[in-house]
Short mmCIF file of all heavy atoms in Angstrom, two decimals:
data_model
loop_
_atom_site.label_atom_id
_atom_site.label_comp_id
_atom_site.label_asym_id
_atom_site.label_seq_id
_atom_site.Cartn_x
_atom_site.Cartn_y
_atom_site.Cartn_z
N MET A 30 13.02 -37.92 -3.54
CA MET A 30 12.19 -37.19 -4.49
C MET A 30 11.44 -36.08 -3.73
O MET A 30 10.84 -36.33 -2.70
CB MET A 30 11.23 -38.18 -5.14
CG MET A 30 10.38 -37.56 -6.20
SD MET A 30 9.73 -38.80 -7.33
CE MET A 30 8.11 -39.03 -6.69
N PRO A 31 11.46 -34.82 -4.24
CA PRO A 31 10.80 -33.72 -3.53
C PRO A 31 9.29 -33.89 -3.53
O PRO A 31 8.70 -34.38 -4.47
CB PRO A 31 11.21 -32.48 -4.31
CG PRO A 31 11.79 -32.93 -5.58
CD PRO A 31 12.15 -34.38 -5.44
N VAL A 32 8.71 -33.46 -2.44
CA VAL A 32 7.26 -33.50 -2.31
C VAL A 32 6.69 -32.21 -2.88
O VAL A 32 7.15 -31.12 -2.56
CB VAL A 32 6.86 -33.64 -0.82
CG1 VAL A 32 5.35 -33.58 -0.68
CG2 VAL A 32 7.42 -34.92 -0.24
N ASN A 33 5.69 -32.34 -3.73
CA ASN A 33 5.05 -31.17 -4.33
C ASN A 33 4.09 -30.57 -3.31
O ASN A 33 3.12 -31.19 -2.93
CB ASN A 33 4.31 -31.58 -5.61
CG ASN A 33 3.75 -30.37 -6.34
OD1 ASN A 33 3.85 -29.24 -5.87
ND2 ASN A 33 3.16 -30.61 -7.48
N SER A 34 4.36 -29.34 -2.88
CA SER A 34 3.50 -28.70 -1.88
C SER A 34 2.48 -27.76 -2.51
O SER A 34 1.78 -27.04 -1.82
CB SER A 34 4.36 -27.92 -0.88
OG SER A 34 5.05 -26.90 -1.57
N PHE A 35 2.37 -27.77 -3.84
CA PHE A 35 1.41 -26.90 -4.53
C PHE A 35 -0.01 -27.32 -4.18
O PHE A 35 -0.34 -28.49 -4.18
CB PHE A 35 1.61 -26.98 -6.04
CG PHE A 35 0.59 -26.20 -6.80
CD1 PHE A 35 0.67 -24.82 -6.89
CD2 PHE A 35 -0.49 -26.83 -7.40
CE1 PHE A 35 -0.28 -24.09 -7.57
CE2 PHE A 35 -1.44 -26.10 -8.09
CZ PHE A 35 -1.33 -24.73 -8.18
N GLN A 36 -0.83 -26.34 -3.89
CA GLN A 36 -2.25 -26.58 -3.65
C GLN A 36 -3.05 -25.84 -4.70
O GLN A 36 -2.73 -24.71 -5.03
CB GLN A 36 -2.66 -26.10 -2.26
CG GLN A 36 -2.03 -26.88 -1.15
CD GLN A 36 -2.51 -26.35 0.20
OE1 GLN A 36 -3.11 -25.29 0.31
NE2 GLN A 36 -2.24 -27.11 1.23
N SER A 37 -4.08 -26.47 -5.17
CA SER A 37 -4.96 -25.84 -6.15
C SER A 37 -5.61 -24.61 -5.52
O SER A 37 -6.04 -24.64 -4.37
CB SER A 37 -6.05 -26.83 -6.57
OG SER A 37 -7.03 -26.17 -7.32
N PRO A 38 -5.67 -23.48 -6.26
CA PRO A 38 -6.29 -22.27 -5.70
C PRO A 38 -7.71 -22.49 -5.21
O PRO A 38 -8.16 -21.83 -4.30
CB PRO A 38 -6.27 -21.28 -6.87
CG PRO A 38 -5.21 -21.77 -7.77
CD PRO A 38 -5.16 -23.27 -7.59
N GLY A 39 -8.43 -23.41 -5.81
CA GLY A 39 -9.79 -23.69 -5.38
C GLY A 39 -9.86 -24.35 -4.02
O GLY A 39 -10.89 -24.33 -3.36
N LEU A 40 -8.76 -24.96 -3.58
CA LEU A 40 -8.75 -25.66 -2.32
C LEU A 40 -8.21 -24.81 -1.18
O LEU A 40 -8.36 -25.15 -0.02
CB LEU A 40 -7.88 -26.93 -2.43
CG LEU A 40 -8.33 -27.95 -3.47
CD1 LEU A 40 -7.35 -29.10 -3.54
CD2 LEU A 40 -9.73 -28.46 -3.14
N VAL A 41 -7.60 -23.70 -1.50
CA VAL A 41 -7.03 -22.82 -0.49
C VAL A 41 -8.01 -21.69 -0.22
O VAL A 41 -8.40 -20.98 -1.13
CB VAL A 41 -5.67 -22.24 -0.98
CG1 VAL A 41 -5.11 -21.28 0.05
CG2 VAL A 41 -4.71 -23.34 -1.31
N PRO A 42 -8.43 -21.54 1.05
CA PRO A 42 -9.39 -20.46 1.33
C PRO A 42 -8.76 -19.10 1.10
O PRO A 42 -7.61 -18.86 1.43
CB PRO A 42 -9.73 -20.66 2.81
CG PRO A 42 -8.69 -21.55 3.35
CD PRO A 42 -8.07 -22.28 2.22
N SER A 43 -9.52 -18.21 0.49
CA SER A 43 -9.02 -16.87 0.24
C SER A 43 -9.11 -16.04 1.51
O SER A 43 -9.76 -16.42 2.48
CB SER A 43 -9.83 -16.19 -0.87
OG SER A 43 -11.12 -15.89 -0.39
N VAL A 44 -8.45 -14.90 1.49
CA VAL A 44 -8.55 -13.97 2.63
C VAL A 44 -10.00 -13.59 2.83
O VAL A 44 -10.49 -13.50 3.96
CB VAL A 44 -7.67 -12.72 2.38
CG1 VAL A 44 -7.87 -11.70 3.48
CG2 VAL A 44 -6.22 -13.11 2.25
N LYS A 45 -10.72 -13.39 1.74
CA LYS A 45 -12.13 -13.00 1.82
C LYS A 45 -12.93 -14.05 2.57
O LYS A 45 -13.75 -13.73 3.42
CB LYS A 45 -12.69 -12.81 0.42
CG LYS A 45 -14.14 -12.39 0.39
CD LYS A 45 -14.61 -12.22 -1.04
CE LYS A 45 -16.07 -11.86 -1.10
NZ LYS A 45 -16.54 -11.77 -2.46
N ASP A 46 -12.70 -15.33 2.25
CA ASP A 46 -13.41 -16.39 2.94
C ASP A 46 -13.09 -16.40 4.42
O ASP A 46 -13.93 -16.69 5.25
CB ASP A 46 -13.05 -17.76 2.35
CG ASP A 46 -13.56 -17.93 0.93
OD1 ASP A 46 -14.52 -17.23 0.55
OD2 ASP A 46 -12.98 -18.77 0.20
N GLN A 47 -11.86 -16.06 4.75
CA GLN A 47 -11.42 -16.09 6.14
C GLN A 47 -11.96 -14.91 6.94
O GLN A 47 -12.20 -15.03 8.13
CB GLN A 47 -9.89 -16.09 6.20
CG GLN A 47 -9.28 -17.33 5.61
CD GLN A 47 -7.77 -17.21 5.48
OE1 GLN A 47 -7.18 -16.24 5.93
NE2 GLN A 47 -7.16 -18.20 4.87
N ILE A 48 -12.14 -13.75 6.31
CA ILE A 48 -12.52 -12.57 7.07
C ILE A 48 -13.93 -12.07 6.79
O ILE A 48 -14.42 -11.20 7.49
CB ILE A 48 -11.54 -11.40 6.82
CG1 ILE A 48 -11.62 -10.93 5.39
CG2 ILE A 48 -10.15 -11.74 7.25
CD1 ILE A 48 -10.87 -9.65 5.12
N ALA A 49 -14.59 -12.63 5.79
CA ALA A 49 -15.85 -12.07 5.32
C ALA A 49 -16.87 -11.85 6.43
O ALA A 49 -17.48 -10.80 6.52
CB ALA A 49 -16.44 -12.95 4.23
N HIS A 50 -17.06 -12.83 7.27
CA HIS A 50 -18.11 -12.71 8.29
C HIS A 50 -17.53 -12.77 9.70
O HIS A 50 -18.28 -12.89 10.65
CB HIS A 50 -19.13 -13.82 8.10
CG HIS A 50 -19.78 -13.77 6.77
ND1 HIS A 50 -20.71 -12.81 6.42
CD2 HIS A 50 -19.64 -14.53 5.66
CE1 HIS A 50 -21.10 -12.99 5.18
NE2 HIS A 50 -20.46 -14.03 4.70
N VAL A 51 -16.22 -12.65 9.80
CA VAL A 51 -15.58 -12.84 11.09
C VAL A 51 -15.25 -11.52 11.76
O VAL A 51 -15.34 -11.41 12.97
CB VAL A 51 -14.30 -13.70 10.93
CG1 VAL A 51 -13.57 -13.84 12.23
CG2 VAL A 51 -14.64 -15.05 10.34
N ILE A 52 -14.87 -10.52 11.00
CA ILE A 52 -14.40 -9.27 11.61
C ILE A 52 -15.40 -8.14 11.38
O ILE A 52 -16.17 -8.14 10.43
CB ILE A 52 -13.01 -8.87 11.09
CG1 ILE A 52 -13.04 -8.57 9.59
CG2 ILE A 52 -11.98 -9.92 11.40
CD1 ILE A 52 -11.75 -7.99 9.05
N SER A 53 -15.34 -7.18 12.28
CA SER A 53 -16.22 -6.01 12.18
C SER A 53 -15.68 -5.05 11.12
O SER A 53 -14.53 -5.17 10.67
CB SER A 53 -16.28 -5.30 13.53
OG SER A 53 -15.01 -4.72 13.83
N ASP A 54 -16.50 -4.08 10.77
CA ASP A 54 -16.05 -3.05 9.84
C ASP A 54 -14.86 -2.29 10.39
O ASP A 54 -13.92 -1.96 9.67
CB ASP A 54 -17.19 -2.07 9.54
CG ASP A 54 -18.30 -2.68 8.70
OD1 ASP A 54 -18.11 -3.79 8.16
OD2 ASP A 54 -19.35 -2.04 8.58
N ASP A 55 -14.87 -2.01 11.70
CA ASP A 55 -13.75 -1.29 12.33
C ASP A 55 -12.46 -2.09 12.24
O ASP A 55 -11.40 -1.54 11.94
CB ASP A 55 -14.06 -0.96 13.78
CG ASP A 55 -15.15 0.09 13.93
OD1 ASP A 55 -15.37 0.86 12.96
OD2 ASP A 55 -15.79 0.14 14.99
N GLU A 56 -12.54 -3.40 12.52
CA GLU A 56 -11.35 -4.25 12.42
C GLU A 56 -10.87 -4.32 10.98
O GLU A 56 -9.68 -4.31 10.70
CB GLU A 56 -11.65 -5.65 12.96
CG GLU A 56 -10.51 -6.63 12.79
CD GLU A 56 -9.26 -6.28 13.60
OE1 GLU A 56 -9.35 -5.50 14.55
OE2 GLU A 56 -8.19 -6.81 13.26
N CYS A 57 -11.80 -4.39 10.05
CA CYS A 57 -11.45 -4.43 8.62
C CYS A 57 -10.71 -3.15 8.24
O CYS A 57 -9.69 -3.20 7.54
CB CYS A 57 -12.72 -4.60 7.80
SG CYS A 57 -12.43 -4.93 6.07
N MET A 58 -11.19 -2.00 8.69
CA MET A 58 -10.51 -0.73 8.41
C MET A 58 -9.12 -0.70 9.02
O MET A 58 -8.17 -0.22 8.39
CB MET A 58 -11.34 0.44 8.95
CG MET A 58 -12.55 0.77 8.11
SD MET A 58 -12.15 1.31 6.45
CE MET A 58 -11.24 2.80 6.77
N SER A 59 -8.98 -1.21 10.23
CA SER A 59 -7.67 -1.24 10.88
C SER A 59 -6.69 -2.10 10.11
O SER A 59 -5.53 -1.72 9.90
CB SER A 59 -7.81 -1.78 12.30
OG SER A 59 -8.56 -0.92 13.09
N ARG A 60 -7.14 -3.28 9.68
CA ARG A 60 -6.28 -4.17 8.90
C ARG A 60 -5.91 -3.55 7.57
O ARG A 60 -4.77 -3.64 7.12
CB ARG A 60 -6.97 -5.51 8.66
CG ARG A 60 -7.06 -6.37 9.87
CD ARG A 60 -7.62 -7.72 9.50
NE ARG A 60 -7.85 -8.53 10.67
CZ ARG A 60 -8.09 -9.82 10.64
NH1 ARG A 60 -8.12 -10.46 9.48
NH2 ARG A 60 -8.29 -10.49 11.75
N LEU A 61 -6.86 -2.88 6.95
CA LEU A 61 -6.60 -2.23 5.67
C LEU A 61 -5.57 -1.11 5.85
O LEU A 61 -4.63 -0.99 5.05
CB LEU A 61 -7.90 -1.69 5.08
CG LEU A 61 -7.80 -0.99 3.73
CD1 LEU A 61 -7.22 -1.90 2.67
CD2 LEU A 61 -9.18 -0.49 3.30
N ALA A 62 -5.72 -0.31 6.88
CA ALA A 62 -4.78 0.78 7.13
C ALA A 62 -3.37 0.24 7.37
O ALA A 62 -2.38 0.78 6.83
CB ALA A 62 -5.23 1.59 8.34
N ARG A 63 -3.25 -0.84 8.14
CA ARG A 63 -1.93 -1.43 8.39
C ARG A 63 -1.33 -2.00 7.10
O ARG A 63 -0.15 -1.82 6.83
CB ARG A 63 -2.02 -2.54 9.44
CG ARG A 63 -2.17 -2.02 10.85
CD ARG A 63 -2.00 -3.11 11.88
NE ARG A 63 -2.90 -4.24 11.69
CZ ARG A 63 -4.09 -4.38 12.27
NH1 ARG A 63 -4.54 -3.45 13.07
NH2 ARG A 63 -4.82 -5.45 12.05
N ALA A 64 -2.15 -2.69 6.31
CA ALA A 64 -1.66 -3.31 5.08
C ALA A 64 -1.18 -2.24 4.09
O ALA A 64 -0.14 -2.40 3.44
CB ALA A 64 -2.74 -4.17 4.45
N VAL A 65 -1.92 -1.15 3.98
CA VAL A 65 -1.54 -0.07 3.06
C VAL A 65 -0.29 0.66 3.57
O VAL A 65 0.60 0.99 2.79
CB VAL A 65 -2.72 0.91 2.86
CG1 VAL A 65 -2.29 2.15 2.11
CG2 VAL A 65 -3.87 0.21 2.12
N ALA A 66 -0.21 0.86 4.86
CA ALA A 66 0.93 1.58 5.44
C ALA A 66 2.24 0.83 5.26
O ALA A 66 3.30 1.44 5.16
CB ALA A 66 0.68 1.86 6.92
N GLU A 67 2.18 -0.49 5.21
CA GLU A 67 3.39 -1.30 5.09
C GLU A 67 4.00 -1.27 3.69
O GLU A 67 5.16 -1.63 3.52
CB GLU A 67 3.11 -2.74 5.49
CG GLU A 67 2.88 -2.90 6.97
CD GLU A 67 2.55 -4.33 7.35
OE1 GLU A 67 2.69 -5.23 6.51
OE2 GLU A 67 2.14 -4.54 8.51
N HIS A 68 3.24 -0.89 2.68
CA HIS A 68 3.73 -0.85 1.29
C HIS A 68 4.37 -2.18 0.88
O HIS A 68 5.42 -2.21 0.24
CB HIS A 68 4.74 0.29 1.09
CG HIS A 68 4.20 1.64 1.40
ND1 HIS A 68 3.38 2.31 0.53
CD2 HIS A 68 4.33 2.43 2.49
CE1 HIS A 68 3.04 3.47 1.06
NE2 HIS A 68 3.60 3.57 2.25
N ASP A 69 3.72 -3.29 1.25
CA ASP A 69 4.24 -4.62 0.96
C ASP A 69 3.42 -5.23 -0.18
O ASP A 69 2.23 -5.51 -0.01
CB ASP A 69 4.15 -5.49 2.21
CG ASP A 69 4.78 -6.86 2.04
OD1 ASP A 69 5.19 -7.19 0.90
OD2 ASP A 69 4.86 -7.60 3.03
N ASP A 70 4.05 -5.43 -1.32
CA ASP A 70 3.35 -5.98 -2.48
C ASP A 70 2.75 -7.36 -2.21
O ASP A 70 1.79 -7.76 -2.85
CB ASP A 70 4.30 -6.09 -3.69
CG ASP A 70 4.69 -4.74 -4.24
OD1 ASP A 70 4.05 -3.73 -3.86
OD2 ASP A 70 5.62 -4.68 -5.05
N ARG A 71 3.31 -8.07 -1.26
CA ARG A 71 2.79 -9.40 -0.95
C ARG A 71 1.41 -9.33 -0.29
O ARG A 71 0.72 -10.34 -0.20
CB ARG A 71 3.76 -10.16 -0.06
CG ARG A 71 5.08 -10.48 -0.77
CD ARG A 71 6.07 -11.06 0.18
NE ARG A 71 6.43 -10.01 1.14
CZ ARG A 71 7.34 -10.13 2.08
NH1 ARG A 71 7.97 -11.26 2.24
NH2 ARG A 71 7.60 -9.13 2.91
N ARG A 72 1.00 -8.16 0.15
CA ARG A 72 -0.29 -8.00 0.82
C ARG A 72 -1.37 -7.42 -0.10
O ARG A 72 -2.47 -7.10 0.35
CB ARG A 72 -0.14 -7.11 2.04
CG ARG A 72 0.73 -7.78 3.12
CD ARG A 72 0.72 -7.05 4.39
NE ARG A 72 -0.55 -7.27 5.09
CZ ARG A 72 -0.80 -6.75 6.28
NH1 ARG A 72 0.07 -6.00 6.89
NH2 ARG A 72 -1.97 -6.97 6.86
N LEU A 73 -1.06 -7.30 -1.40
CA LEU A 73 -2.03 -6.70 -2.32
C LEU A 73 -3.34 -7.48 -2.36
O LEU A 73 -4.42 -6.87 -2.40
CB LEU A 73 -1.44 -6.59 -3.72
CG LEU A 73 -0.36 -5.51 -3.89
CD1 LEU A 73 0.19 -5.56 -5.31
CD2 LEU A 73 -0.91 -4.14 -3.57
N ASN A 74 -3.28 -8.79 -2.36
CA ASN A 74 -4.52 -9.58 -2.37
C ASN A 74 -5.35 -9.30 -1.12
O ASN A 74 -6.57 -9.20 -1.19
CB ASN A 74 -4.22 -11.07 -2.48
CG ASN A 74 -3.79 -11.46 -3.86
OD1 ASN A 74 -4.06 -10.78 -4.83
ND2 ASN A 74 -3.09 -12.58 -3.96
N GLU A 75 -4.69 -9.19 0.02
CA GLU A 75 -5.40 -8.88 1.25
C GLU A 75 -6.04 -7.49 1.17
O GLU A 75 -7.20 -7.32 1.57
CB GLU A 75 -4.44 -8.94 2.44
CG GLU A 75 -5.11 -8.63 3.75
CD GLU A 75 -4.17 -8.64 4.94
OE1 GLU A 75 -2.94 -8.81 4.74
OE2 GLU A 75 -4.65 -8.46 6.06
N VAL A 76 -5.32 -6.52 0.62
CA VAL A 76 -5.86 -5.17 0.47
C VAL A 76 -7.11 -5.19 -0.41
O VAL A 76 -8.14 -4.60 -0.07
CB VAL A 76 -4.79 -4.21 -0.11
CG1 VAL A 76 -5.41 -2.88 -0.52
CG2 VAL A 76 -3.68 -3.99 0.89
N VAL A 77 -7.04 -5.90 -1.51
CA VAL A 77 -8.19 -6.00 -2.42
C VAL A 77 -9.38 -6.64 -1.71
O VAL A 77 -10.51 -6.16 -1.82
CB VAL A 77 -7.81 -6.81 -3.68
CG1 VAL A 77 -9.03 -7.17 -4.50
CG2 VAL A 77 -6.81 -6.03 -4.51
N GLU A 78 -9.13 -7.73 -1.00
CA GLU A 78 -10.21 -8.42 -0.30
C GLU A 78 -10.82 -7.55 0.80
O GLU A 78 -12.04 -7.55 1.00
CB GLU A 78 -9.71 -9.74 0.28
CG GLU A 78 -9.23 -10.73 -0.76
CD GLU A 78 -10.34 -11.25 -1.66
OE1 GLU A 78 -11.53 -11.05 -1.36
OE2 GLU A 78 -9.99 -11.85 -2.68
N LEU A 79 -9.99 -6.82 1.52
CA LEU A 79 -10.51 -5.94 2.56
C LEU A 79 -11.35 -4.82 1.98
O LEU A 79 -12.41 -4.47 2.52
CB LEU A 79 -9.36 -5.37 3.40
CG LEU A 79 -8.65 -6.39 4.31
CD1 LEU A 79 -7.35 -5.82 4.82
CD2 LEU A 79 -9.56 -6.83 5.44
N ILE A 80 -10.90 -4.24 0.87
CA ILE A 80 -11.70 -3.21 0.20
C ILE A 80 -13.02 -3.78 -0.26
O ILE A 80 -14.08 -3.18 -0.10
CB ILE A 80 -10.91 -2.58 -0.97
CG1 ILE A 80 -9.73 -1.77 -0.43
CG2 ILE A 80 -11.83 -1.72 -1.85
CD1 ILE A 80 -8.76 -1.30 -1.49
N GLY A 81 -12.97 -4.98 -0.84
CA GLY A 81 -14.20 -5.66 -1.26
C GLY A 81 -15.13 -5.94 -0.09
O GLY A 81 -16.34 -5.79 -0.20
N ARG A 82 -14.56 -6.31 1.03
CA ARG A 82 -15.35 -6.58 2.23
C ARG A 82 -16.06 -5.31 2.70
O ARG A 82 -17.21 -5.34 3.13
CB ARG A 82 -14.42 -7.14 3.31
CG ARG A 82 -14.83 -7.01 4.76
CD ARG A 82 -16.04 -7.84 5.10
NE ARG A 82 -16.33 -7.79 6.52
CZ ARG A 82 -16.94 -6.78 7.15
NH1 ARG A 82 -17.29 -5.70 6.48
NH2 ARG A 82 -17.20 -6.83 8.43
N LEU A 83 -15.38 -4.17 2.60
CA LEU A 83 -15.99 -2.90 3.01
C LEU A 83 -16.99 -2.39 1.99
O LEU A 83 -17.93 -1.68 2.34
CB LEU A 83 -14.90 -1.86 3.26
CG LEU A 83 -14.05 -2.11 4.50
CD1 LEU A 83 -12.85 -1.19 4.49
CD2 LEU A 83 -14.86 -1.94 5.76
N ALA A 84 -16.80 -2.72 0.74
CA ALA A 84 -17.69 -2.21 -0.32
C ALA A 84 -19.08 -2.80 -0.20
O ALA A 84 -20.06 -2.13 -0.55
CB ALA A 84 -17.11 -2.53 -1.69
N VAL A 85 -19.22 -3.98 0.31
CA VAL A 85 -20.53 -4.61 0.41
C VAL A 85 -21.46 -3.82 1.32
O VAL A 85 -22.57 -3.49 0.92
CB VAL A 85 -20.39 -6.08 0.87
CG1 VAL A 85 -21.74 -6.70 1.15
CG2 VAL A 85 -19.65 -6.89 -0.19
N PRO A 86 -21.05 -3.44 2.54
CA PRO A 86 -21.96 -2.65 3.38
C PRO A 86 -22.27 -1.27 2.82
O PRO A 86 -23.32 -0.71 3.09
CB PRO A 86 -21.22 -2.52 4.71
CG PRO A 86 -20.23 -3.62 4.72
CD PRO A 86 -19.87 -3.86 3.29
N ILE A 87 -21.35 -0.71 2.03
CA ILE A 87 -21.55 0.63 1.47
C ILE A 87 -22.66 0.63 0.44
O ILE A 87 -23.43 1.58 0.34
CB ILE A 87 -20.24 1.17 0.88
CG1 ILE A 87 -19.22 1.41 1.99
CG2 ILE A 87 -20.47 2.44 0.08
CD1 ILE A 87 -17.83 1.73 1.52
N GLU A 88 -22.78 -0.45 -0.32
CA GLU A 88 -23.81 -0.53 -1.36
C GLU A 88 -25.14 -0.54 -0.71
O GLU A 88 -26.06 -0.02 -0.78
CB GLU A 88 -23.65 -1.80 -2.18
CG GLU A 88 -22.42 -1.81 -3.00
CD GLU A 88 -22.24 -3.11 -3.76
OE1 GLU A 88 -23.12 -3.99 -3.67
OE2 GLU A 88 -21.25 -3.25 -4.45
#
């Protein structure tokens, strides 16, 4: 019988949780530039989270 590997979204840390207080603004910009340059749809959530991470200091 196959094992269900699904995890509830509430139990999986988001990119934001992983990077929110760990990386500098410069590192965040570098990651954002790389993610955008790759044109990979699978990285859209990361792009959104990185933009959100940068928007907080701007406010």
Side-chain angles (χ1 to χ4, degrees):
M30 183 159 99
V32 176
N33 186 357
S34 62
F35 176 77
Q36 294 181 347
S37 170
L40 300 177
V41 178
S43 71
V44 174
K45 181 180 177 183
D46 293 338
Q47 295 171 5
I48 66 170
H50 300 288
V51 177
I52 64 173
S53 68
D54 290 348
D55 290 338
E56 176 65 19
C57 190
M58 285 296 297
S59 295
R60 288 186 186 194
L61 181 58
R63 284 191 305 267
V65 170
E67 290 178 10
H68 301 282
D69 185 354
D70 291 347
R71 294 173 293 184
R72 294 189 75 178
L73 288 177
N74 286 338
E75 180 182 4
V76 169
V77 169
E78 297 294 347
L79 289 166
I80 292 170
R82 157 68 175 79
L83 290 168
V85 173
I87 293 171
E88 293 177 2

